[in-house]
Amino acid sequence: MSEPSDPTGTSGPNGKGGAGATGDTGDTGTTGAEGGPSRPGDLLSPAARLLCDAMTAGFPGPGDPAALRAAASRGSDGAGPCGPEVASVYDTDAAGVPVRVYDPDPGAEGRPLAVYFHGGGWVMCGLDTHDALCRSLAAASGAVLVSADYRLAPEHPWPAATDDALAVLLWAREQAQALGCDPARVTVAGDSSGGNLAAVTALRAPGLVAGQLLFYPALDASMDSASVEAYAEGYFHTAAHMAWYWDTYGGDPAHPHVSPLRAPDLSGLARTLIVLADCDVLRDEGLAYARRLAAAGVDCTVQLHPGVFHGFLGLPLPAGAAALRAAAEWVAAPE
């Protein structure tokens, strides 16, 4: 559910209308696949397959939080790329939760504000693993971005992370004007398990959120979808890892603040952008959530990227750059 350092040298951890898919290739429903022909039968592009196999070889199996955390932290120790320059980056405290604030243009006013929750299966990763991604999103969107260092399982099982996420949102709303932001333009965002936290936070405080940006989010603890079986192994983020993350995180799988896809009513939620990898166990629950949002009258857009796997946003692949660019434009756009 998160990525070890990218073996190529690039850090790994990293709309309007209904729930139809959009992408760089026009109205085809998907973005362009990566590179030339893949090996026969492989759904990943050649470039993505090389990255996937190298990352898988360096990533431990499920069950040992310390080993997973060590693997995820490689590449965030200053040896790897540090992302674009951002005018002001500082750490502070948000109602007891450590956060890092990225301000691309100190002194400006009326800007969007994004509250970001990192991925990592609710077990690993933190401010440093996602620093490059947060820098990139802040710089490209012009938004002030607040990255939350929420408590991790198994030491702090559900609902610790969801409570921290809500606390950071409330703090960000209170500080919006002081940060030079419009409190009516607050977006919650996150990747993987962080996408889960963003979706849960939007459900808990719908009147305080103007948008939710979900990168390959975990939305249903039942893991009962065709993509779980189709991509269970061989695509880095395995079904076995995902099942262990859910078990370690805890909570009632049927509770909507654990599994947002189970929420009985999604009406009234903020506009939503869901970004998915085609070769991912989480793909189908993301699509199902988008369909439910659209059916509830929510302004929801899906971007489905073929030929790539879970975690592609932080990788040196055209789809990663395209997804980040589109997400930044979406955050920056007025409602």
Side-chain angles (χ1 to χ4, degrees), residues 2 29 55 58 66 79 109 176 192 204 230 246 274 276 299:
S2 182
M55 292 168 61
E109 297 182 353
S192 198
R204 296 182 73 182
W246 280 118
I274 301 178
L276 303 173
D299 176 3

Side-chain angles (χ1 to χ4, degrees), residues 223-319:
M223 296 180 61
D224 184 19
S225 71
S227 62
V228 172
E229 181 176 355
Y231 304 109
E233 294 182 347
Y235 297 90
F236 178 60
H237 179 219
T238 70
H241 280 90
M242 190 68 246
W244 182 78
Y245 295 143
W246 280 118
D247 288 344
T248 305
Y249 183 48
D252 179 357
H255 197 296
H257 297 168
V258 174
S259 299
L261 188 57
R262 306 285 192 92
D265 183 10
L266 300 180
S267 61
L269 291 181
R271 71 186 186 114
T272 303
L273 174 60
I274 301 178
V275 181
L276 303 173
D278 199 22
C279 303
D280 184 4
V281 296
L282 300 181
R283 182 197 65 191
D284 286 356
E285 57 201 73
L287 291 172
Y289 200 58
R291 293 182 183 114
R292 285 202 57 208
L293 287 167
V298 176
D299 176 3
C300 181
T301 297
V302 173
Q303 293 177 353
L304 177 64
H305 293 262
V308 293
F309 57 97
H310 188 89
F312 75 93
L313 191 68
L315 299 178
L317 297 168

Side-chain angles (χ1 to χ4, degrees), residues 2-334:
S2 182
E3 299 76 42
S5 60
D6 169 18
T8 67
T10 299
S11 178
N14 324 88
K16 300 294 180 183
T22 61
D24 291 346
T25 57
D27 295 327
T28 62
T30 58
T31 52
E34 309 288 323
S38 299
R39 66 196 190 196
D42 193 4
L43 296 176
L44 292 180
S45 73
R49 172 50 66 191
L50 287 173
L51 285 168
C52 179
D53 289 350
M55 292 168 61
T56 300
F59 200 66
D64 185 344
L68 288 163
R69 289 168 181 170
S73 67
R74 290 198 295 268
S76 62
D77 54 5
C82 58
E85 288 292 329
V86 175
S88 175
V89 179
Y90 60 92
D91 293 350
T92 189
D93 178 274
V97 182
V99 297
R100 183 168 294 167
V101 179
Y102 302 80
D103 189 340
D105 188 15
E109 297 182 353
R111 298 170 293 172
L113 175 60
V115 179
Y116 196 89
F117 307 113
H118 65 79
W122 306 281
V123 170
M124 57 189 152
C125 296
L127 299 179
D128 292 338
T129 59
H130 284 62
D131 184 72
L133 173 58
C134 290
R135 285 174 177 270
S136 297
L137 187 57
S141 66
V144 174
L145 189 146
V146 178
S147 180
D149 198 15
Y150 57 86
R151 288 171 291 172
L152 300 176
E155 295 87 350
H156 304 283
W158 185 89
T162 59
D163 288 345
D164 287 355
L166 181 60
V168 173
L169 170 65
L170 295 175
W171 177 87
R173 284 274 306 196
E174 291 174 355
Q175 297 296 317
Q177 291 187 334
L179 292 169
C181 298
D182 182 348
R185 299 181 67 191
V186 178
T187 292
V188 288
D191 61 288
S192 198
S193 58
N196 169 281
L197 295 177
V200 169
T201 303
L203 283 170
R204 296 182 73 182
L208 302 182
V209 174
Q212 52 178 341
L213 171 59
L214 312 179
F215 297 108
Y216 29 84
L219 299 169
D220 188 359
S222 73
M223 296 180 61
D224 184 19
S225 71
S227 62
V228 172
E229 181 176 355
Y231 304 109
E233 294 182 347
Y235 297 90
F236 178 60
H237 179 219
T238 70
H241 280 90
M242 190 68 246
W244 182 78
Y245 295 143
W246 280 118
D247 288 344
T248 305
Y249 183 48
D252 179 357
H255 197 296
H257 297 168
V258 174
S259 299
L261 188 57
R262 306 285 192 92
D265 183 10
L266 300 180
S267 61
L269 291 181
R271 71 186 186 114
T272 303
L273 174 60
I274 301 178
V275 181
L276 303 173
D278 199 22
C279 303
D280 184 4
V281 296
L282 300 181
R283 182 197 65 191
D284 286 356
E285 57 201 73
L287 291 172
Y289 200 58
R291 293 182 183 114
R292 285 202 57 208
L293 287 167
V298 176
D299 176 3
C300 181
T301 297
V302 173
Q303 293 177 353
L304 177 64
H305 293 262
V308 293
F309 57 97
H310 188 89
F312 75 93
L313 191 68
L315 299 178
L317 297 168
L324 181 61
R325 181 171 60 251
E329 292 172 355
W330 185 88
V331 170

